Amino acid sequence: MAGRNFLFVPGPTNVPDRIQRAMLVAMEDHRSSKFPELTRAVLAELKPVFRTTSGTPLVFPASGTGGWEAALTNTLSPGDKVLAARFGQFSHLWIDMVTRLGYRAEVVDCEWGEGTPVERFREILAADAAHEIKAVLATHNETATGVTSNVAEIRAALDATGHPALLFVDAVSSLASIDFRMDEWGVDICVSGSQKGLMLPAGLAIVCISPKAIEARARSTQPRCYFDFGDMMRANETGYFPYTPSLPMLYGLRESLRMLQEEGLENVFRRHARLAAGVRAAVTEGWNLRLCARHPKWHSNTVSAILVPEGVNGAQVIDIAFRRYNLALGAGLSKVAGKLFRIGHLGDLNELMLLGAIAGAEMAMLDAGVRIEPGSGVAAAQRYWRSPDAMRLNVPAADRLHAVA
Ligand code: PLP
């Protein structure tokens, strides 16, 4: 099909030309005396992205799922118990991994569209006088439903009950796009991946671990090898990796971190907030449809899951968008399959790119029989982006331009 494919799934996201160029490198000796410059630059520049000074960022050749496994197997021992809530496909899959690896999960099942039930967590933690729960799992941004949970409140629940459990956060679809604060929120392990806010291809599990997580590793009796934090930290200390790293991915990551630094993390968050609010205006004011997220406090700034009306198949909307209009929208996963489609609005993105996605979603919905007014979503998003509310989330145009390498 002529023209560009419009990639609006919530990861993988568009890889900026600048990062693609940085990845186009000849292979080199990863044991040379020069190599540590790259390792050290990447690991040092990751710290501000996690908002940490005391944490240790680690980069594994894997995807976010590998990061989940690394978090669990480095700190827990067989049979240990974790507390987690299930409110979407990704929070579900992490819980599934917990049980498949031989740990026990105390699961709070919520409606899909809700976020972490902090009050219920507080009650469970308070009742756990024997401190059987060794870790609390929190999916910061549930990509399947477009729901962002409040991690600071989960930390407050742990503190209020004096519970010593570790706090693990999945920030796969929030890091470098929604405010995340490792140190301030007392997060012990943050798990992320390369293919979302970091604007890279999939291929790196990027985790950050606290001193408390490092202590827990020393006590853990769980066998592990490839994802061992100890091997990685020892190699990284000398500027190397315990096995052959992917050079293009590391060069790409270094460029991505430079771009984030140039734009400024606060501006990156504001841009995502502004773009997300425009999409929500298109959905609720323009199309008169509902989001899967059940309360504004859970609205995600990186992905909107849009419920289609009864009698319409969301999968058909997605397929029409893809085949007819060269637009990739996110699917409804598992329990919400067919009931919604998702617009990913994270990474290297601006208003006009999103207007294309909104227009394409509109055309696909009209073709699939959804009764909306052509142009209504586009007009609502434009109205929002030109409003004083959006302007407050704006940054000077010059600051928004990525320097061209
Ligand atoms: N967690 C969340 C919130 C995700 O959105 C995803 C993937 O989209 C994952 C975990 C799994 O990550 P990966 O597909 O990189 O293994």
Side-chain angles (χ1 to χ4, degrees):
M1 203 185 286
R4 293 191 84 125
N5 175 249
F6 275 59
L7 183 64
F8 282 89
V9 296
T13 62
N14 296 297
V15 179
D17 294 348
R18 197 174 141 179
I19 293 183
Q20 291 200 7
R21 284 198 294 275
M23 293 178 72
L24 204 59
V25 288
M27 289 305 109
E28 60 186 83
D29 178 11
H30 62 287
R31 300 192 198 283
S32 76
S33 58
K34 186 169 177 291
F35 192 78
E37 283 172 27
L38 176 62
T39 311
R40 293 208 167 101
V42 163
L43 295 177
E45 292 311 321
L46 272 171
K47 282 193 172 201
V49 174
F50 284 101
R51 295 256 165 105
T52 188
T53 52
S54 59
T56 305
L58 302 173
V59 176
F60 289 96
S63 67
T65 305
W68 282 344
E69 184 156 333
L72 301 173
T73 57
N74 273 277
T75 52
L76 303 178
S77 297
D80 273 357
K81 191 173 184 185
V82 307
L83 171 62
R86 174 167 32 220
F87 44 78
Q89 181 65 358
F90 295 102
S91 43
H92 162 69
L93 286 174
W94 203 6
I95 291 166
D96 182 55
M97 176 184 277
V98 164
T99 53
R100 284 166 66 176
L101 288 172
Y103 310 113
R104 289 175 297 148
E106 171 132 13
V107 180
V108 182
D109 267 300
C110 309
E111 291 296 326
W112 287 31
E114 294 179 354
T116 304
V118 180
E119 230 359 79
R120 186 75 197 105
F121 269 25
R122 206 185 53 74
E123 286 165 12
I124 293 169
L125 291 166
D128 181 34
H131 294 163
E132 258 194 80
I133 294 167
K134 301 298 180 208
V136 174
L137 271 47
T139 301
H140 186 203
N141 189 73
E142 175 50 84
T143 323
T145 54
V147 161
T148 303
S149 286
N150 189 326
V151 179
E153 284 181 358
I154 303 171
R155 164 48 60 199
L158 278 156
D159 291 349
T161 52
H163 202 292
L166 295 158
L167 176 57
F168 298 168
V169 175
D170 171 337
V172 172
S173 59
S174 57
L175 192 77
S177 36
I178 296 174
D179 194 8
F180 173 83
R181 303 172 189 210
M182 178 100 184
D183 287 1
E184 193 183 319
W185 298 342
V187 174
D188 292 300
I189 303 186
C190 176
V191 174
S192 197
S194 48
Q195 76 276 22
K196 309 228 182 207
L198 290 168
M199 307 172 285
L200 289 159
L204 299 178
I206 299 172
V207 301
C208 193
I209 62 177
S210 73
K212 188 172 158 189
I214 295 173
E215 279 170 30
R217 180 192 159 275
R219 289 191 303 273
S220 155
T221 60
Q222 172 72 51
R224 59 189 168 260
C225 178
Y226 193 70
F227 288 125
D228 186 57
F229 288 165
D231 291 347
M232 186 57 85
M233 284 191 295
R234 272 189 297 279
N236 284 173
E237 251 162 48
T238 60
Y240 297 96
F241 285 83
Y243 28 66
T244 320
S246 163
L247 285 161
M249 288 300 285
L250 289 180
Y251 279 111
L253 179 56
R254 189 175 66 176
E255 197 64 14
S256 150
L257 296 169
R258 282 178 181 159
M259 287 178 72
L260 291 170
Q261 209 176 46
E262 283 166 25
E263 187 175 354
L265 211 50
E266 287 297 337
N267 292 337
V268 172
F269 298 151
R270 274 206 289 270
R271 174 167 56 84
H272 281 82
R274 194 177 69 242
L275 294 177
V279 172
R280 290 192 289 268
V283 174
T284 57
E285 292 161 30
W287 300 335
N288 217 3
L289 295 177
R290 283 189 303 121
L291 291 160
C292 182
R294 291 180 171 216
H295 193 281
K297 70 179 176 186
W298 289 318
H299 282 167
S300 165
N301 283 344
T302 58
V303 53
S304 294
I306 300 145
L307 295 167
V308 293
E310 284 285 322
V312 175
N313 182 354
Q316 200 196 355
V317 174
I318 294 162
D319 199 48
I320 293 172
F322 184 67
R323 290 185 178 278
R324 229 172 260 177
Y325 302 115
N326 214 358
L327 165 68
L329 298 169
L333 302 172
S334 173
K335 230 166 127 169
V336 288
K339 296 189 178 147
L340 56 80
F341 67 88
R342 293 175 295 154
I343 298 181
H345 32 82
L346 74 162
D348 186 46
L349 213 60
N350 60 32
E351 286 87 348
L352 295 194
M353 290 161 86
L354 261 175
L355 284 174
I358 294 167
E362 246 169 40
M363 291 199 288
M365 280 195 285
L366 286 162
D367 293 357
V370 182
R371 284 207 209 103
I372 52 169
E373 191 59 35
S376 55
V378 169
Q382 287 186 11
R383 265 197 303 277
Y384 171 76
W385 285 325
R386 298 183 61 258
S387 72
D389 274 359
M391 294 299 170
R392 269 193 289 280
L393 288 172
N394 221 332
V395 283
D399 295 347
R400 291 167 56 192
L401 292 178
H402 295 320
V404 177

